[in-house]
Amino acid sequence: MTLVEATWVERDGILRSPALSSLGLVGGFTTRALGSMAGGVFPLDEQERNRRALAARLGFDRVVRLKQVHGDRVVHADAVTDPWLEADAMWTATPGLLLGVAAADCVPILIADPDGPVGAAHAGWQGTSKRIAVALVSALVDEGADPARLVASIGPSIGPCCYVIDDERAAVIRQRLGPDSADLLFAGADGRPVFDLWSANVQQLEQAGVRVVERCDLCTQSGGADVWSYRGAKGTNGTGLGIIGRPRS
Ligand SMILES: [Zn+2]
C-alpha cells in the first residue's frame, strides 16, 4: 500500500484532497469560513443555506447527509435518497450528488473508484473501532469496485497529538479491534491512553485491500487550520462536512 501524507491544501474555504482532485472528483473538508454545516448549535436553516451554497459553489445539485449515530451502517445515496437515512457511511454512483459527512473531531473518510462509485464515512472512536472503513470498502466492492483501484483519503480530525481518552473507552477499543489495537493505543504524556484514529483507519483500509491511501494529517484541535472542533477554545461547536462527489460532466 502507498501512504501519501500531509498533502491536503485549502482553497476557497475548503481543505481539498489532491488525490481525489486528480481523479476529477471533489473531495475535501469545509472550514469555518463557510459556516457551520450541521449540528444543533447553529440555526438549522442557516446551516441548510450553508450547505446549499456549498453545493452550488462546487457545481453540485445538493448535499446528501445522514443521521449519524456512531455506528457502522453503510447506505446507498441516490437522487431521491431520504436526506436523513440513519447511517454513518454512504456511497453513490450518481454524478451531481455531493456526499457530506458531518464532523468536527471525528474522521471523515473519503473513498473513490476512479471510474465508479464514491463513498464517505464518519468515523470517531466508535465507528473506527467498529471498522466502518472496511464496511464502506465492502459496499463499494459489492457495487463492482476493485479494491486495488480504490483511492482513499483520510481528512482532518483530532490527531494522536491530542486524542486522549479514558481507560474504559480504551478497553472497548481493545476488545473490538483485538491485536490490531496494539499500535493504535499508547500512553500519552500524562500516562492516559491516546487513540490514533488516523493510523487505525489507514490500517483498516490496507486490510480491506485499498492500495492508495492519502492522509491529511491535520489535527482539528491543534493543527492551526480554520476548522471546527468540539474541543478547546477554537470554534463554538459548529460542524464541518467531509465531502466527496463526482461533478456532472
Ligand atoms: Zn492535535
Side-chain angles (χ1 to χ4, degrees), residues 41-112:
V41 173
F42 288 80
L44 295 181
D45 59 341
E46 174 188 325
Q47 298 185 123
E48 187 177 340
R49 278 198 302 276
N50 291 339
R51 293 194 299 272
R52 282 174 197 252
L54 174 71
R57 141 200 311 238
L58 294 170
F60 285 79
D61 300 339
R62 67 185 180 91
V63 176
V64 182
R65 292 190 54 225
L66 299 169
K67 184 173 194 296
Q68 298 173 193
V69 291
H70 297 281
D72 62 355
R73 180 169 179 233
V74 184
V75 295
H76 174 214
D78 64 23
V80 294
T81 300
D82 180 323
W84 283 107
L85 286 177
E86 191 171 288
D88 285 86
M90 61 185 147
W91 64 270
T92 190
T94 308
L97 287 188
L98 189 63
L99 307 183
V101 288
D105 296 308
C106 292
V107 189
I109 301 171
L110 311 173
I111 309 181

Side-chain angles (χ1 to χ4, degrees), residues 126-196:
Q126 286 273 23
T128 299
S129 62
K130 294 173 181 173
R131 302 183 190 270
I132 193 169
V134 176
L136 178 56
V137 170
S138 295
L140 292 167
V141 169
D142 286 347
E143 290 310 304
D146 174 356
R149 285 174 47 77
L150 294 178
V151 174
S153 194
I154 295 174
S157 80
I158 191 160
C161 39
C162 295
Y163 193 35
V164 176
I165 58 176
D166 60 31
D167 290 326
E168 290 74 23
R169 190 171 292 187
V172 173
I173 293 165
R174 229 175 255 118
Q175 185 245 326
R176 286 180 184 164
L177 293 179
D180 283 347
S181 66
D183 296 332
L184 308 175
L185 285 167
F186 47 87
D190 65 357
R192 288 189 296 158
V194 168
F195 185 30
D196 184 345

Side-chain angles (χ1 to χ4, degrees), residues 157-163 198 218-223:
S157 80
I158 191 160
C161 39
C162 295
Y163 193 35
W198 298 340
L218 183 87
C219 175
T220 43
Q221 187 175 349
S222 69

Side-chain angles (χ1 to χ4, degrees), residues 27-39:
F29 190 70
T30 64
T31 70
R32 289 202 298 163
L34 301 187
S36 179
M37 294 284 168

